[in-house]
């Protein structure tokens, strides 16, 4: 039980809380796994088709760089690039999947298609790769999935929320005084991961806000302690409705998109072209935005980071699952 003096102390503490500091509040749950069934049943996947690129010698620059990074170190030749076209958007998403990834293209296309069109539009690429431990992150509006399987809708909603926080709302919400003020009114946070920092708390609260807005009956029936975190998820629900046209709610069409990263040749394809094979280069895939789609300007931010004006060291490691 929290007394008035305890809550007053929390308000005083949060007034000086920086964006990177851990949040010193109890969590009402260890994680948000208990929301998975309700989310999956009520966020229906949009109709879609997908196809691998005709020539896999080409790859998005982001997928090439991320797959070869020091943290990952994969051979780009083991990455297959796909286009997914959803019925609510005339521009395909370009995604990359490692041959040993536990998430298939069928599952990825289905789960990503459950993310509302407005929110989905703030994601550029998705890279799914194997890993010893399951974790995910968002780097510059690109989602990296490591050992994430077929129950990852909550993961998608969380990672997409980083991009929404970065540049879908009037300001990076998690770094605002308004967010700190609303958090100070609650006696707890949604789960253990929410305690990491303000950004992660905002994105976990966004998952709950999406649940509360879409699942019949909302969040309180499934969470007896909902009042302890109500200012957090209700604030997100208000922000996404008033500042971004209910961007967390399914429906509508995509009217804006992030530009895809440059399409480049894999190193192996370049070597073949330089050798005595005299192989003619295949046509470079066209990844330009469709007619009538407004361009969203990219923001360069680090894994898990929700804004471009915070020191990257403040954001910590990718989320573990």
């Amino acid at each position: 039980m929290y007394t008035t003096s305890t809550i007053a102390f929390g308000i005083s503490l949060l007034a000086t809380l920086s964006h990177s500091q851990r949040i010193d509040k109890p969590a009402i749950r260890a994680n948000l796994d208990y929301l998975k069934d309700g989310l999956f049943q009520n966020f229906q996947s949009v109709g879609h088709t997908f196809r691998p690129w005709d020539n896999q010698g080409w790859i998005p620059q982001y997928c090439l760089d991320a797959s070869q990074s020091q943290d990952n170190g994969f051979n780009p030749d083991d990455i297959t690039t796909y286009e997914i076209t959803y019925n609510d958007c005339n521009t395909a998403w370009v995604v990359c999947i490692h041959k040993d990834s536990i998430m298939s293209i069928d599952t990825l296309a289905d789960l990503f298609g459950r993310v509302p069109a407005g929110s989905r539009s703030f994601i550029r690429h998705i890279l799914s790769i194997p890993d010893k431990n399951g974790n995910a992150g968002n780097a510059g509006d690109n989602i990296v999935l490591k050992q994430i399987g077929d129950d990852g809708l909550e993961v998608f909603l969380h990672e997409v929320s980083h991009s929404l926080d970065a540049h879908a709302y009037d300001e990076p919400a998690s770094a605002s005084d308004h967010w700190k003020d609303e958090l100070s009114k609650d006696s707890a946070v949604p789960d253990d991961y929410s305690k990491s920092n303000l950004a992660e708390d905002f994105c976990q609260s966004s998952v709950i806000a999406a649940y509360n807005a879409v699942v019949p009956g909302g969040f309180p029936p499934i969470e007896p302690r909902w009042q302890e975190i109500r200012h957090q998820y209700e604030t997100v629900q208000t922000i996404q409705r008033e500042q971004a046209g209910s961007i967390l709610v399914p429906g509508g069409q995509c009217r804006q998109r992030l530009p895809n990263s440059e399409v480049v040749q894999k190193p192996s394809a370049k070597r073949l072209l330089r050798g005595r094979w005299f192989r003619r280069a295949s046509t470079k895939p066209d990844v330009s935005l469709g007619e009538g789609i407004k361009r969203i300007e990219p923001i360069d931010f680090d894994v898990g980071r929700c804004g471009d004006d915070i020191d990257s060291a403040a954001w910590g490691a990718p989320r573990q699952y």
Side-chain angles (χ1 to χ4, degrees), residues 112-300:
F112 194 45
R114 293 173 186 270
V115 177
S119 297
R120 201 185 325 130
S121 298
F122 280 84
I123 297 301
R124 175 184 284 178
H125 299 298
I126 300 172
L127 172 65
S128 182
I129 54 180
D131 193 70
K132 293 180 180 179
N133 302 301
N135 65 71
N138 183 331
D141 301 311
N142 302 288
I143 294 178
V144 183
L145 304 171
K146 297 185 178 183
Q147 210 67 11
I148 301 297
D150 59 4
D151 62 346
L153 179 55
E154 176 253 333
V155 179
F156 272 106
L157 289 172
H158 173 97
E159 298 304 339
V160 166
S161 293
H162 280 299
S163 289
L164 301 183
D165 188 16
H167 52 152
Y169 306 134
D170 292 349
E171 61 178 344
S174 68
S176 68
D177 289 338
H178 178 57
W179 181 248
K180 295 177 187 178
D181 291 342
E182 294 303 314
L183 173 58
S184 72
K185 298 174 184 178
D186 287 338
S187 59
V189 293
D191 69 347
D192 289 339
Y193 191 66
S194 302
K195 299 164 74 171
S196 301
N197 55 50
L198 293 171
E200 302 302 347
D201 178 51
F202 182 86
C203 292
Q204 288 296 75
S205 297
S206 296
V207 175
I208 296 176
Y211 186 104
N212 191 58
V214 176
V215 177
F219 180 63
I222 200 175
E223 179 50 73
R225 300 175 61 185
W226 63 275
Q227 293 191 50
E228 297 178 46
I229 62 168
R230 66 176 299 180
H231 291 92
Q232 291 159 81
Y233 73 81
E234 287 182 353
T235 297
V236 175
Q237 196 164 333
T238 299
I239 290 173
Q240 64 87 33
R241 181 180 65 249
E242 295 182 353
Q243 299 181 17
S246 295
I247 202 168
L248 290 175
V249 177
Q253 301 286 314
C254 87
R255 305 185 186 282
Q256 55 182 349
R257 285 283 302 277
L258 285 154
N260 290 295
S261 61
E262 179 68 19
V263 177
V264 297
Q265 286 187 310
K266 294 179 179 178
S268 58
K270 289 183 178 180
R271 287 194 295 270
L272 284 172
L273 289 172
R274 290 195 194 103
R276 294 185 176 274
W277 294 69
F278 293 102
R279 189 184 72 172
R280 181 165 44 184
S282 61
T283 303
K284 185 177 182 178
D286 180 10
V287 294
S288 58
L289 298 182
E291 184 178 355
I293 298 295
K294 179 182 176 182
R295 173 189 169 103
I296 301 173
E297 292 303 320
I299 292 179
D300 184 17

Side-chain angles (χ1 to χ4, degrees), residues 95-131:
V95 303
C96 306
I97 301 181
H98 188 274
K99 66 180 183 64
D100 296 326
S101 168
I102 65 171
M103 180 175 285
S104 66
I105 180 59
D106 304 76
T107 298
L108 192 157
D110 175 82
L111 291 178
F112 194 45
R114 293 173 186 270
V115 177
S119 297
R120 201 185 325 130
S121 298
F122 280 84
I123 297 301
R124 175 184 284 178
H125 299 298
I126 300 172
L127 172 65
S128 182
I129 54 180
D131 193 70

Side-chain angles (χ1 to χ4, degrees), residues 59 62-69 72-76 79 127 129:
I59 189 171
Y62 169 75
C63 293
L64 178 65
D65 294 342
S67 64
Q68 291 185 307
S69 71
N72 299 324
F74 292 109
N75 182 348
I79 304 289
L127 172 65
I129 54 180

